[in-house]
Amino acid sequence: AKVGSGHAIGLVMDVRDENSIKAAVEDAVARFGGIDVCVSCASAIFPQRLSEMNTKRFDLMMSINSRGTVLVMKNCMPYLEISAQKGRNPHVIILSPPLNFSDAVAQKVNTNYFVAKGGMTLAAMYASMEFSKEGIACNTLWPTGLVTTSALNHMFRNKPESLDKFMRKGRTPQCQADAAYVIATSNARKFTGNQCVDEDVLLKNDPNHDFSQYDYLTLGATREERLKGILTS
């Protein structure tokens, strides 16, 4: 599919299954000739109080979030190494939280979820040290607040009224996408090992950045328009 001035292909990948990851990576390389940027954002979200935690759901989060991220990086790294050798400025961006427990973006609840997400951040930070000499940047990216996607639908049982009310607190995914673009176009040899927050990235790039463009209400005048692409059938 043509997207703006570029092209994209949709591939099915189960990050719990390494054969599935390998197949998707190989298909992408066959189509585009290599990999210059790896963005890992696959996650399962089942936040619960630790004393009430569902262990099966915790295992699912760990297998997708932490383990899945490591496997995706593992299978992309050989191509990112080639990208570095060719001077193509390769980047890995992991969508996971900064491990700063006193920071304003830190959530002091949902231990089960943040153990799984924190593993993603650790993977990025250690990979940044392992591959920095080769010129492969590894950074994390986290939203300032709620991102208005379908990821939380199951928590509201796909109820339009509840979803629409909750989503009004958030920003559209374009905010994360714009921040990821700034990171991916930075110098990989100089900007690596950072735990980034989207708002900080965009303000550093442009102190006058307009964040109103990401307001959930810009998606439409009616609930139906706003939830199109978010509400699942």
Side-chain angles (χ1 to χ4, degrees), residues 94-115:
I94 307 299
L95 272 62
S96 59
L99 298 180
N100 182 345
F101 303 109
S102 62
D103 193 276
V105 299
Q107 294 190 32
K108 300 172 178 63
V109 293
N110 303 325
T111 300
N112 68 327
Y113 174 59
F114 282 96
V115 165

Side-chain angles (χ1 to χ4, degrees), residues 23-168:
V25 168
E26 290 170 2
D27 284 348
V29 170
R31 174 64 178 82
F32 297 108
I35 294 176
D36 298 319
V37 180
C38 167
V39 179
S40 177
C41 62
S43 292
I45 306 175
F46 296 106
Q48 291 179 299
R49 286 178 55 84
L50 190 59
S51 57
E52 301 165 358
M53 184 185 79
N54 182 305
T55 303
K56 287 186 176 180
R57 288 184 172 181
F58 177 69
D59 289 342
L60 177 63
M61 286 194 293
M62 291 297 291
S63 66
I64 293 175
N65 301 8
S66 297
R67 181 177 180 273
T69 292
V70 172
L71 292 181
V72 168
M73 286 198 297
K74 170 193 171 184
N75 284 275
C76 287
M77 239 0 133
Y79 300 104
L80 292 167
E81 289 176 309
I82 294 172
S83 176
Q85 292 163 9
K86 293 181 177 180
R88 295 180 60 85
N89 200 46
H91 281 262
V92 175
I93 302 173
I94 307 299
L95 272 62
S96 59
L99 298 180
N100 182 345
F101 303 109
S102 62
D103 193 276
V105 299
Q107 294 190 32
K108 300 172 178 63
V109 293
N110 303 325
T111 300
N112 68 327
Y113 174 59
F114 282 96
V115 165
K117 292 297 290 187
M120 298 168 69
T121 302
L122 287 173
M125 294 302 99
Y126 279 102
S128 74
M129 293 184 282
E130 183 175 350
F131 293 96
S132 62
K133 290 183 179 179
E134 297 179 43
I136 302 172
C138 297
N139 297 286
T140 64
L141 178 62
W142 193 242
T144 301
L146 172 69
V147 180
T148 57
T149 72
S150 60
L152 299 176
N153 289 12
H154 65 282
M155 295 172 60
F156 293 90
R157 299 184 179 180
N158 258 358
K159 293 181 178 179
E161 299 83 359
S162 301
L163 273 170
D164 186 59
K165 182 178 179 180
F166 184 73
M167 292 295 185
R168 288 171 185 249

Side-chain angles (χ1 to χ4, degrees), residues 1 8-12:
I9 55 173
L11 299 169
V12 175

